[in-house]
Amino acid sequence: MVRRRRGFRRSRRCAVADHGGMERDASAEVRRAVLPYGDRGLLVEVADLAAVAGIRAALERAPLPGQLDLVPAARTLLVVLDRAPAESDLARLKRLEPAAPTTDADVRTVELAVVFDGPDLSEVAALTRRSVPALVEALTTAELTVAFGGFAPGFGYLAGLPDDLHTPRRTTPRTRVPAGAVGLAGPFAGVYPRSSPGGWQLVGRTDAVLFDAEREPPALLTPGTRVRFREVR
Amino acid sequence: MLTVLTPGPLATIQDRGRPGWAAIGVPRSGAADRSAADLANRLVGNDPAAATVEVTAGGLRLRAERTVLVAVTGAPAPLDVDGRPAPPNAPVTLRAGSVLRLGLPPVGLRSYLAVRGGVDAVPVLGSRSTDTLSGLGPGRLAEGDRLPVGTLAADEPIVDVAPVRAPSSRPVLRVLPGPRRDWLVAAAWEALVAAEWTVTADSDRVGLRLAGPRLERARDGELPSEGLVPGALQVPPDGAPVLFLADHPVTGGYPVLAVVASADLGAAAQLRPGDRLRFRR
């Protein structure tokens, strides 16, 4: 992903779109804005997760000169550069055709064996007006996709929960959530890669190793990976 | 080989970090004051990718187990070799058995020790940096640690001494607009550049927490988390901005009002609790 271009003229500082102003991208028919982010980045704001994945795939295949990293999130993609952004970057990011994130053939599917005995299981069942077995049934039939990472190495925000399974975070976060804990928060599910503080509603646990720097790829859950929970006892 | 006799308050191994892994939640990390670390490497003729020791508030003592060439840059910690003063920002030869000591810098916070060949810790995801937030990379240095010297040396060094300005405890840092100016009242940007800010004690490699006027939000509600960069000035609900440094989290959920210019990030990384700073457009 690291590509450098030598001799780039830093004086060509960009004039960026008004912050918050949405630009209409006629070619792709999507709402897209490119927001200023200092002298080493540009923030592309789009409508939803699918649009983030499309832009990210396009920039992975054909990076901007000096593109150091891409940071996908719920509605934005941060493009980190090793140089100051230029007008041409802005123009390119506004016009960029989203790419298909992956072809069906190379989508990875990961099945996580989960023991559903989390401390918040019955509370989440009550919140979502289900019995505990019905909640487990809903969680194990949901087709989830890793949307993005960010909280800790190996943590993947799993999108695809049915709307009526969206739950608020705990009002008081736990000071310690064990590694492998499976949680829900808002529209997302997730698995804590290691022990840390956390505010997600914990419904279960898995033995899967979410992150291992010596492994290729290091993260079990990379953006685009399909995930299913399988109940084990 | 170098042996750590005393690490001081915090000493870590740092190179240019591990960019390219944000999508799986791996922060970039790397030397907090990149220009000081780069200079230290240049002074001993290292490849710019060589790892250095980032020494926080001095206090490091180490022994050379064979003859090595070193240089110390960044915060001007008084240096001595076997009790005799040695120059900062210059290559210094340590004979086998010699002890190098860094005192408490009168100004600035982070000094960088480069050794010709680089510190050869085991790389994790392509970097030898200690990431204090995510726990990746080598651990913080401890008494008795033995640091192997690598082979990341390029040409023979040709610089005798580099004229550098010492860090300031009253710097003025240039800021550029961040992506979420519209999440704060218009007066917030004005207050940011008009006020004097104080670095609070709750500051580290992740970021500086700043005390000053309260920066007011223009809208309620939650911003979906989005990517962060070093230098991002994020405004949490309490209105006190956080200036992110090298070990910043990959994403954050509060609006970023402004971003410190990359050329001024080193100056930000040299600030210590109680220092005062201003921002300019």
Side-chain angles (χ1 to χ4, degrees):
Chain A
M1 199 179 294
V2 180
R3 234 177 67 171
R4 289 171 198 282
R5 193 169 83 180
R6 306 229 175 255
F8 187 84
R9 284 169 48 112
R10 291 207 174 141
S11 54
R12 289 170 62 208
R13 178 133 298 134
C14 69
V16 224
D18 283 350
H19 44 273
M22 285 290 198
E23 297 282 329
R24 187 88 185 156
D25 182 335
S27 62
E29 288 300 317
V30 290
R31 291 191 321 152
R32 191 188 298 172
V34 181
L35 308 178
Y37 210 141
D39 61 3
R40 291 293 181 271
L42 287 169
L43 190 70
V44 186
E45 185 173 49
V46 292
D48 55 24
L49 281 171
V52 172
I55 303 271
R56 174 167 177 259
L59 285 172
E60 284 207 319
R61 260 163 244 178
L64 294 182
Q67 180 175 306
L68 267 186
D69 210 343
L70 296 173
V71 192
R75 286 216 290 273
T76 54
L77 179 75
L78 168 62
V79 183
V80 183
L81 302 170
D82 67 1
R83 56 173 175 85
E87 282 290 355
S88 55
D89 301 313
L90 211 70
R92 179 141 169 241
L93 290 173
K94 280 185 190 161
R95 278 199 321 266
L96 195 68
E97 276 306 321
T102 39
T103 60
D104 279 352
D106 51 32
V107 166
R108 280 197 314 140
T109 300
V110 170
E111 193 179 72
L112 293 174
V114 177
V115 181
F116 286 96
D117 63 354
D120 302 323
L121 189 67
S122 20
E123 197 182 320
V124 172
L127 276 170
T128 61
R129 297 166 199 279
R130 282 176 167 82
S131 65
V132 166
L135 172 62
V136 171
E137 167 76 15
L139 288 170
T140 49
T141 50
E143 304 214 342
L144 304 169
T145 305
V146 181
F148 52 91
F151 164 69
F155 187 89
Y157 287 81
L158 306 176
L161 288 176
D163 287 353
D164 62 352
L165 273 188
H166 297 186
T167 47
R169 281 163 199 260
R170 286 172 55 82
T171 39
T172 311
R174 290 187 168 86
T175 51
R176 188 180 171 280
V177 171
V182 176
L184 307 179
F188 298 113
V191 185
Y192 284 80
R194 54 175 188 160
S195 162
S196 66
W200 290 38
Q201 308 269 13
L202 305 183
V203 294
R205 61 194 154 90
T206 176
D207 288 337
V209 176
L210 276 288
F211 186 83
D212 177 356
E214 303 301 314
R215 191 172 62 186
E216 182 48 46
L220 183 63
L221 308 181
T222 56
T225 304
R226 304 261 169 85
V227 178
R228 288 193 77 139
F229 294 141
R230 178 169 56 86
E231 186 182 17
V232 291
R233 291 171 196 275
Chain B
M1 182 81 81
L2 300 165
T3 302
V4 177
L5 302 178
T6 13
L10 172 67
T12 60
I13 297 172
Q14 297 295 340
D15 57 17
R16 292 186 153 190
R18 40 184 79 81
W21 301 96
I24 57 165
V26 174
R28 175 162 177 184
S29 190
D33 183 346
R34 267 271 292 271
S35 48
D38 284 354
L39 175 64
N41 273 329
R42 261 199 321 275
L43 286 166
V44 296
N46 274 351
D47 185 299
T52 61
V53 178
E54 182 180 280
V55 184
T56 314
L60 176 75
R61 250 182 354 121
L62 44 79
R63 186 175 62 226
E65 304 302 346
R66 61 172 176 82
T67 300
V68 290
L69 186 69
V70 301
V72 179
T73 61
L79 289 186
D80 76 65
V81 177
D82 298 330
R84 282 187 302 277
N89 304 310
V92 174
T93 300
L94 299 182
R95 306 267 165 224
S98 283
V99 173
L100 173 76
R101 189 173 62 171
L102 277 70
L104 179 68
V107 64
L109 183 62
R110 298 184 168 95
S111 311
Y112 292 84
L113 169 95
V115 55
R116 182 167 166 79
V119 177
D120 192 17
V122 177
V124 175
L125 300 178
S127 165
R128 298 180 169 86
S129 290
T130 301
D131 180 341
T132 59
L133 183 75
S134 76
L136 294 180
R140 53 180 62 186
L141 298 190
E143 183 182 329
D145 281 355
R146 294 165 76 82
L147 309 178
V149 175
T151 53
L152 284 174
D155 309 324
E156 283 299 316
I158 46 165
V159 188
D160 284 346
V161 63
V164 284
R165 252 183 301 171
S168 167
S169 57
R170 298 282 185 276
V172 181
L173 310 179
R174 196 161 77 86
V175 284
L176 300 151
R180 302 295 172 191
R181 266 177 81 169
D182 58 338
W183 275 67
L184 291 119
V185 298
W189 174 265
E190 297 307 320
L192 180 73
V193 293
E196 184 176 64
W197 299 87
T198 305
V199 178
T200 69
D202 189 17
S203 298
D204 53 22
R205 274 181 51 85
V206 174
L208 305 174
R209 276 135 192 100
L210 304 180
R214 185 191 158 99
L215 302 178
E216 300 284 348
R217 284 267 191 107
R219 55 169 98 170
D220 296 327
E222 267 189 67
L223 179 73
S225 289
E226 57 194 26
L228 289 172
V229 297
L233 274 154
Q234 193 193 52
V235 186
D238 66 4
V242 177
L243 197 176
F244 282 113
L245 298 178
D247 286 353
H248 67 81
V250 172
T251 56
Y254 302 120
V256 170
L257 169 64
V259 184
V260 172
S262 52
D264 287 350
L265 279 177
Q270 291 296 352
L271 292 168
R272 49 194 199 185
D275 283 351
R276 303 216 176 113
L277 67 153
R278 288 182 178 277
F279 296 104
R280 71 178 170 88
R281 269 168 259 247

